[in-house]
Amino acid sequence: MSEAAARVAALRALIARHDHRYYVLDDPEVPDSEYDRLMRELRELEAAHPALRSADSPTQRVGGAASGGFAAVSHGVPMLSLENAFADADVLEFDRRLRERLGTEAIEYCAEPKLDGLAVSIRYERGRYVRAATRGDGATGEDVSANVRTIRAIPLRLQGAAPELLEVRGEVYMPFAGFRRLNDEAAAAGEKLFVNPRNAAAGALRQLDPAVTARRPLAAYFYGAGTWQGAAEPATQRQLLEQFSAWGLRTNPEMRVVGGAAGCLDYYRALAVRRDRLAYQIDGVVYKVNDRAHQQALGQVSRAPRWAIAHKFPADEALTVLRDVEFQVGRTGVLTPVARLEPVMVGGASVSNATLHNMDEIERKDLRIGDTVLIRRAGDVIPELTRSLPERRPAHARRIELPVTCPVCGSPVTRAPGEAAARCSGGFVCAAQRKEALRHFASRRALDIEGLGEKLIDQLVDRGLVANPADFYGLSPGQLAGLERMGEKSAANVLAALERSKRTTLPRFLHALGIRDVGEATAAALAAHFGTLDALRHASAEQILEVPDVGPVIAAHVHEFFASPANRALIDRLLAAGCSWPEGAPVVRAAGALAGLTIVLTGTLASMTREEAGAALQALGAKLSGSVSKRTHVLVAGAEAGSKLARARELGITVMDEAGLAGLLRGERPPAS
Ligand code: IVH
């Protein structure tokens, strides 16, 4: 057997397999674009080697064969397919050909969306619904009368005067909303999901029990006619659709009559932009000659009319191979797996990467390196790896493992039980996280270093002047003044801000360290509980767990942080640089020490923010309130306290300053007043 003959046989077998999956099982294994590619290759081979042609080749029929279960219906007027146009040039050529054949200057076209559903032919006798058939191979389809009858959008009686006999043709489809609902229900019931709305619609029409079809959210638009007896036929495609509407048959409201190829292309571009906002899936636009006498005159070639063409949108799905998975480390230390793909054209652009989000997703999609995968790209949306084709998995396919150490800094990677995200534990040590960690350290709610913003930090890190926050305190005026947008004056301001930031509070200092999951409130609770940094540094995970509102996960993070030699060295350097705060005594009575007290905070506090203080007070059991009333026990007043202070004095409520607040935070209750 020649090489060509072997390939032809292989292609026919492949296409037969895909036909079966698509038409019989309603569960295609490959996207339409892949199927089209195989068909194209087969057609080209058969054209080049006429000896290889055969009547049973899939190129010799349109669509799939009728399967058992439904009676065969032969179409009096065949149900045609359409030629495809993929580029503007194909549309220009189509229009040129038609003008030449008709001998006219300009042609009017009816343009409308090409729905991704199933073609049906419905027969009305004296206006009554009598039968519905699928297209099948164009000559013979299947009788799906009972199922189509369940679609509420399809009238069982036409309105007004109807012809003796009429076959209307259109597309049955499933709107996106119904498709999503159906899949949500299937997911909840643990059933298999439908790949796309077209397959869901096909599956619904092929149900042996019409009661099942009735529960599927199907709709239809009508666009053509077959047999038409006992009434005059409309002269134009537009009038045909208007007549359909008058009878109560749904027609697509997006239909427009346009002038020439230019009008077609304008319509195409406008619809391409809105494509994702339509309520149903479409895969292109159909242009039909508006004048039906011209349609007649043009006739058909093989099984497609000369007077119409489908202008397809670029395929938004394609198959490719997953070459590798790499892990990117984000600013917050989260590791994101990224698929490295064999480059492939999808939605008109070449795609070689796709994010995989996290390890759970890799598991759910059952991905291995070497797998053939389906890539989808809808509109401007970032490409998505939809699924793998395990049936094509090569023997050498490799499992995807979460790295044990960070690909950027080599620190251990941690993944909390029950959490999707894996993280690098490196913090300041990790170059990927360094800038973000430094920005956090200097931020207002942390050490509040004025003038040390993102741009400046970028420069300091990029020039190797700063790698961790202790390096901030070793900066010289000369180093700062040498940077972009930095004069001597602003350099001096930054140095002064750095100097000021050293006098801080323990909650701020702890928050600034960027310990995972330790925000302001937790930092305040830790500070209140342990009183000193030393006590916290030497605490066991169990002891940390005793802090109100701290659970086992946070306790473990805090303990790990202080156990890391790199972090210990960092803290020692910060202390040596002069970072300091008034140290309190540890709280002896922990949770509940302030239970039953209602406290109001007002004015500006020097040692911490109101949020920090509030969280720490709540951790001790106090109730916080936003306004002063007779039920308030204590008002803590910082600087510039106003009306709340006046009201508290009026009502004779205990007023405390920051020293009093410190006492409260140690769990000391106010004297009963
Ligand atoms: S006209 C003689 N209009 O596309 C013209 N077809 O590839 C016959 N389709 O079998 C078709 N939307 O299933 C036409 N607005 C539309 C369409 C449409 C979807 C489908 C239909 C047909 C296939 C041809």
Side-chain angles (χ1 to χ4, degrees), residues 128-156:
R128 282 163 201 266
Y129 175 102
V130 294
R131 192 181 71 192
T134 61
R135 179 170 129 215
D137 64 5
T140 311
E142 290 176 324
D143 187 330
V144 285
S145 307
N147 288 341
V148 169
R149 182 184 269 280
T150 67
I151 303 172
R152 307 238 158 133
I154 295 177
L156 297 178

Side-chain angles (χ1 to χ4, degrees), residues 615-628:
L617 290 169
Q618 277 175 319
L620 293 172
K623 190 169 162 261
L624 278 198
S625 170
S627 60
V628 176

